[in-house]
Amino acid sequence: MAPATQYELSPPPGDAISALAFAPNGSTKLLAASWDKKLYAYDVAKPDSSLIKTYEHRAPVLDVCFGDNENEAYTAGMDWVVNKVNLETGEMTEMSKHAAPARCVVYSPAHGVLISASWDCSLNLHNVRDPSSTPIRIPLPGKPHAVAASPSKVVVAMTGRIINIYDLQTIQNLFSSGQTELKLWQQRESSLRYLTRAVACMPSDAGYATSSIEGRVAVEWFEDTAESQARKYAFKCHRQPAPDGDGDIVYPVNALEFHPVHGTFASGGGDSTVALWDAEAKRRLKQYQKFPDSIAAMVFSKDGKYLAIGVCPGFETGQEDYSGEGKTSILIRELGDNEAKGKGAK
Amino acid sequence: MGKKRRGHADIEEILGRPWCYYCERDFEDLKLLISHQKAKHFKCDRCGRRLNTAGGLSVHLNQVHKENLDHVENALPNRQGLEVEIFGMEGIPTEVLESHRNRLIQNFYQAQEDRRIATGNPLPGQAKEPRKKIKIETAEELKTRLREWRARRKEILANGGSLESMMKSAQQQAAPAPVPAPAQQQQHYPGQQQVPPQGHFYGQAPEGIPARPPSGPPGVAGLPQRPGGDNIDQLIRMAEAGVKPAAEPEKASKKDKKGRMFYDDAEISPEERMAKLPRYAFTAA
């Protein structure tokens, strides 16, 4: 077995990382969205000269996702705009504009649907297959904080512990029908008591995981039967004993990602640790050594061989100022063959 | 070694089993323990190589993978340290060995006691000593008691005492005879404590009260009466198991122990807070 390694991409982004994305189709291209208003493209297979290009935005970039191929990306930013970025030429096209910062973008290649979520409490649905079409605005009952797509569904986590689930096929049908009213597939109340921090969907399309600011992760299933709903559970994680010995410090779980091959998932928290979990067996597979700072974002490569971890200082309650400058880094972990493989239910 | 009768190992056998310092699991023999340690605690997660000790793994990680080992995998929270060099049963600090031994002994006797209570069988080797003699009154004794009771009723009625208090004291008198079931006994305790001293005959009443089971330490008497009333069996079992009543509130407070949250705003996300900082502000043109 080839020795698995961990290395840092250089140069790192100039400020805090908001999102990471790996290219589709087994490419080793990694995108990093940063608060320094730039989008960074790296090639993780070249540890020494990994930076390919940067793409200047008008405002901090809050999220990024790839389009149909490794040269097409979408970004959401503080300037309210959802952009399409041609990664080869650097050309940027405005896809739509919200009435507040755009927080998340997700793209479903199977449906050609690009979804952006904004703090103006709305989703914009873009039909990528028809560039001339106008995006459809869908109002939300709360401010969205995290969005994730499974092969057939989109999960939107909002303030007030509301979770809306939409069906991607319904969205696609909406485009062809010309209507603008999207019927949501299901609304759920979050299983977690605190503000949702991250959402990730199982690659198997069976369910999703959510995490909150209060060191906890919940795993739920889409299937709406009593048996499936009875299977959902939540657990505590990303807590560290307080230095004064009095109780624990509870950190937010900032990042959740399912492994595309093994179906296990990783969580990254404000406690600077990353853990691998087996959702089926309800077991922790691994806890990595502490990273230099809080984990802001994480992503597995599509073949599951790499785990990219965005590290920068976490934002703490009561913090007056913030800067991730000089303290931000992206670490690539080359996973061993069975590193993220579940051990099977015991 | 053949299997013991009833499948319950004896204490020497239990204490003789090798066990793992890191996770407190015990094993049939030393070889199994060592292979457990190599697989669970000293295995390199990068290449799967099984080392003999945590120190060995640390050196391996350092030299082969350029990484540092900061804790032992799959270990109990307070046993993750690399300071102790463990190989099989070697290297376990004396105080840890001692506390493990004590815990085994305590568990062993507790399990034995639990079995005794669950099955009603006497402890091994104590079969001849009956736990409790059932008192059977002869007809003569019964008659004597009836006579005493009548005499007392007469006395109380003559002194203007109420029949009600008479009945209460009669109940107390009757309690020990003939076969007091444990559950019945329990029912009388609270009532008894509430009975206010009644005239001069109060002094007589305690004679008829069955003694509390001697096994209960003073702590149990102090247990608050819980609604629903737990039966005496459970109290005894708790006492025998060494569970102190104070343990309960302690446990509850541990559960209540709230950690300090690094970020505790339930409405506004850290990103929204950051977005408000002048550093990141964007004013739409």
Side-chain angles (χ1 to χ4, degrees), chain B residues 54-118:
Chain B
L57 177 59
S58 173
V59 169
H60 162 87
L61 267 173
N62 222 317
Q63 292 181 340
V64 182
H65 308 295
K66 308 275 176 285
E67 281 188 18
N68 284 316
L69 186 69
D70 61 351
H71 69 278
V72 175
E73 282 286 319
N74 305 315
L76 294 168
N78 54 346
R79 301 274 169 88
Q80 294 178 335
L82 299 170
E83 312 79 45
V84 281
E85 183 84 356
I86 301 284
F87 178 73
M89 290 291 288
E90 286 165 43
I92 303 176
T94 346
E95 63 274 15
V96 177
L97 269 176
E98 200 56 39
S99 68
H100 181 84
R101 194 185 150 83
N102 289 341
R103 193 163 45 245
L104 283 187
I105 292 174
Q106 200 186 335
N107 287 349
F108 176 79
Y109 285 110
Q110 188 188 328
Q112 204 174 50
E113 195 57 32
D114 286 349
R115 265 203 308 278
R116 181 180 71 70
I117 288 162

Side-chain angles (χ1 to χ4, degrees), chain B residues 187-206:
Chain B
Q187 279 168 1
H188 295 297
Y189 290 147
Q192 203 176 61
Q193 281 152 5
Q194 282 153 18
V195 177
Q198 294 267 347
H200 61 276
F201 74 90
Y202 174 67
Q204 299 177 339

Side-chain angles (χ1 to χ4, degrees), chain A residues 15 143 248 250 286 289 317, chain B residues 45 68 260 262 264 272:
Chain A
D15 203 337
K143 249 184 233 174
D248 280 354
V250 181
K286 207 158 168 37
Q289 294 171 52
T317 293
Chain B
D45 58 331
N68 284 316
R260 185 180 77 82
F262 185 79
D264 65 5
E272 285 171 274

Side-chain angles (χ1 to χ4, degrees), chain A residues 27-39:
Chain A
S27 156
T28 50
K29 194 185 265 185
L30 176 77
L31 290 179
S34 168
W35 285 80
D36 71 354
K37 305 183 185 179
K38 287 190 193 111
L39 175 69

Side-chain angles (χ1 to χ4, degrees), chain B residues 4-15:
Chain B
K4 287 272 162 173
R5 288 169 296 137
R6 296 192 312 274
H8 307 311
D10 58 31
I11 186 73
E12 285 81 21
E13 204 177 305
I14 289 174
L15 291 176

Side-chain angles (χ1 to χ4, degrees), chain B residues 30-48:
Chain B
L30 198 60
K31 259 171 122 178
L32 280 174
L33 167 65
I34 289 168
S35 75
H36 154 84
Q37 287 180 334
K38 288 170 80 170
K40 283 279 171 187
H41 307 303
F42 307 146
K43 185 174 164 183
C44 172
D45 58 331
R46 316 309 270 138
C47 66

